[in-house]
Amino acid sequence: MQSSNVTRREPPLTEMLSRRSVIGTFGAVMAIVNFSPFAISSSRSEQNQGAMNVSQYAMDKETVSEAISGGGLLVVAQWETKEGQADKVADILQRFLPDAQRDLGVKLFLIGRGRENPAQFLFYELFRDEAAFDAHQESVYFNTYIAREALPLLAKRERMQYTLL
């Protein structure tokens, strides 16, 4: 037997965690929503005024398989707050989330908070297309809650865009 001198490059731990987080979150969302027979409601105005959890949101939205049909732009963002700012950011996101979920170009919009590290937040956003994503970022609610209030409280912000397969 010959020994190989070829070394395999291992991705940095942060890359692996990012990929695993994205894959794990996608799998969890698929499992939670796709196994439930939720249909789209007759009117978006029937939504709750507050942010909804996954079950409430899914009851008022298409199933994941319906949402992903026709493609779209998937945006996954990870935030970490500055020391002592996690609860303040969570409050801002609670006020932001209902508007984001009601946005006409949004197919799916979820935000999670780290269980082991509550200063970490994960965004899982599926937009109809690039134009819908641009409109979301230019909206009054985005500029109020995210750009003005939340971003200054962050130590780290990463966003990745994906095309659905």
Side-chain angles (χ1 to χ4, degrees), residues 27-93:
V29 170
M30 291 292 284
I32 291 168
V33 181
N34 212 24
F35 290 124
S36 301
F38 299 126
I40 195 162
S41 76
S42 58
S43 168
R44 287 182 179 248
S45 64
E46 294 172 5
Q47 286 183 323
N48 295 339
Q49 291 300 315
M52 295 176 275
N53 65 33
V54 174
S55 297
Q56 292 167 321
Y57 184 57
M59 291 170 73
D60 200 45
K61 297 291 283 185
E62 305 161 84
T63 64
V64 170
S65 58
E66 290 170 328
I68 64 174
S69 68
L73 175 66
L74 177 63
V75 178
V76 179
Q78 295 178 329
W79 287 7
E80 187 157 341
T81 67
K82 293 177 181 173
E83 183 73 31
Q85 300 299 319
D87 288 337
K88 193 172 188 177
V89 169
D91 179 60
I92 293 165
L93 294 176

Side-chain angles (χ1 to χ4, degrees), residues 73 75 103 125 127 130-144 146-147 157 159 161:
L73 175 66
V75 178
D103 196 311
E125 312 164 6
F127 296 91
E130 186 82 31
F133 176 63
D134 292 343
H136 165 73
Q137 291 190 108
E138 294 169 6
S139 69
V140 171
Y141 70 87
F142 182 91
N143 283 296
T144 300
I146 303 303
R157 178 187 188 207
R159 289 189 302 178
Q161 294 183 6

Side-chain angles (χ1 to χ4, degrees), residues 113-128:
R113 187 174 186 182
R115 294 176 92 179
E116 292 181 25
N117 182 355
Q120 294 178 336
F121 295 86
L122 178 72
F123 295 70
Y124 188 83
E125 312 164 6
L126 180 58
F127 296 91
R128 180 182 61 240

